[in-house]
Amino acid sequence: LSHRILFESCPLCASKSIALLKTADCTRHPLYKPSMPPAINWMRCTPCGHVFTDGYFTLEAQAEIFSHTNESQKLGADIERQRQVAARMIEKVLPYVREGTWMDVGFGNGSLLFTAQEYGFTSVGTDLRAENVEMLNGLNIEAYCADLSQVSLKTKCNVISLADVLEHMPYPAQGLQACARLLDDNGVLLISMPNADSMLWRVLDVNNANPYWGELEHYHNFGRKRLYALLMQHGFEPVQYGVSERYRACMEVIVKKKV
Ligand SMILES: [Zn+2]
């Protein structure tokens, strides 16, 4: 039984010049099951330098992984502390956008949506975990259990947050194309993910303590440089860099549509 559909070329630039970078153990990951391969193969694209897994999960393998939800991904998890973290994310956005519709992609525990609502935004969410979507609908918040490319809304979004989301998508460019369609021309994206260009990432590597090589749910290890190039290629322009408090070694970037 094959768990992954292999990338035949770089998922960002489509070059076929890709080579194995390293193999990492994933058996200590909380979502790991003994029926899965015990290691993740990480590839590197020669021309663009992007680092990605050798393939993405089949629908069956994905269903197996999504049959379990981490405590931190449950709706309302750690709500009091998460509200503080979410508030600091929202305050980074306020200089650019003060009101309107805020869509959070992969809303997880919901803290960003709940807090955006407190700040006066209309919250909309998408998530791949049906249980979370039903619970959010039950709280009168518009939510969809769908891939971003399938989502269509009555009005354009003023903010779309992709908090630790793009690195989970087999083809991140497709996610960005959906955002370009759903975002108002004066809106912003808030994007967070680990930054493989950071010194902290290198320190974690040297100490053999980098959790991201064994992260079952990630297909990509972006650095700031490769992320910015991808954004520029898809009609976006990063306007503010920051570090993220959500996960280790993460960056948090505010992005506008290119005029
Ligand atoms: Zn490439």
Side-chain angles (χ1 to χ4, degrees):
L1 182 75
S2 173
H3 274 77
R4 290 184 192 254
I5 298 160
L6 297 182
F7 289 115
E8 285 172 11
S9 55
C10 172
L12 295 193
C13 79
S15 168
K16 291 206 184 288
S17 178
I18 58 177
L20 184 69
L21 175 70
K22 68 192 280 176
T23 294
D25 178 274
C26 58
T27 57
R28 282 175 297 171
H29 191 280
L31 299 179
Y32 177 77
K33 295 200 176 86
S35 58
M36 297 174 184
I40 300 174
N41 296 321
W42 289 92
M43 313 296 287
R44 189 175 180 281
C45 171
T46 310
C48 87
H50 186 56
V51 174
F52 54 99
T53 54
D54 65 351
Y56 56 95
F57 289 117
T58 61
L59 286 177
E60 292 81 7
Q62 198 177 300
E64 199 182 354
I65 289 172
F66 279 88
S67 67
H68 178 82
T69 303
N70 284 333
E71 281 307 312
S72 66
Q73 292 162 328
K74 288 186 179 157
L75 203 68
D78 193 21
I79 187 167
E80 198 160 353
R81 197 186 80 85
Q82 293 303 319
R83 175 173 174 261
Q84 303 289 340
V85 173
R88 287 189 284 269
M89 293 167 78
I90 292 161
E91 278 159 20
K92 287 184 185 174
V93 167
L94 292 181
Y96 303 94
V97 178
R98 301 201 65 83
E99 60 189 3
T101 299
W102 184 310
M103 180 165 77
D104 188 31
V105 180
F107 61 79
N109 60 38
S111 61
L112 193 50
L113 288 182
F114 298 150
T115 314
Q117 204 173 38
E118 278 193 62
Y119 277 79
F121 288 93
T122 301
S123 290
V124 181
T126 73
D127 204 89
L128 295 178
R129 289 182 163 89
E131 189 191 346
N132 277 359
V133 170
E134 279 164 34
M135 285 171 74
L136 209 63
N137 283 328
L139 295 168
N140 283 326
I141 295 176
E142 193 177 342
Y144 301 93
C145 188
D147 190 87
L148 197 53
S149 56
Q150 259 106 62
V151 173
S152 67
L153 301 173
K154 278 182 240 97
T155 56
K156 298 266 185 181
C157 299
N158 303 92
V159 182
I160 300 178
S161 44
L162 299 156
D164 309 291
V165 162
L166 279 182
E167 68 276 26
H168 295 241
M169 293 180 172
Y171 295 98
Q174 290 178 359
L176 291 177
Q177 282 154 10
C179 288
R181 173 173 61 80
L182 294 163
L183 187 69
D184 182 85
D185 285 345
N186 296 311
V188 298
L189 303 180
L190 177 65
I191 299 178
S192 66
M193 65 175 64
N195 180 5
D197 291 341
S198 66
M199 187 59 73
L200 175 53
W201 181 281
R202 284 159 64 180
V203 169
L204 291 170
D205 272 354
V206 166
N207 292 326
N208 203 18
N210 189 332
Y212 295 115
W213 298 112
E215 176 50 71
L216 269 177
E217 291 194 87
H218 289 187
Y219 300 133
H220 308 273
N221 280 338
F222 277 96
R224 166 181 161 149
K225 200 171 155 228
R226 190 65 189 87
L227 173 65
Y228 277 28
L230 184 71
L231 290 166
M232 296 295 283
Q233 192 195 335
H234 291 281
F236 291 105
E237 187 178 17
V239 291
Q240 188 182 312
Y241 180 87
V243 301
S244 164
E245 295 176 55
R246 284 166 53 101
Y247 297 104
R248 298 173 78 189
C250 282
M251 57 182 159
E252 199 162 77
V253 182
I254 294 177
V255 179
K256 282 180 155 181
K257 275 188 178 174
K258 248 189 286 187
V259 263

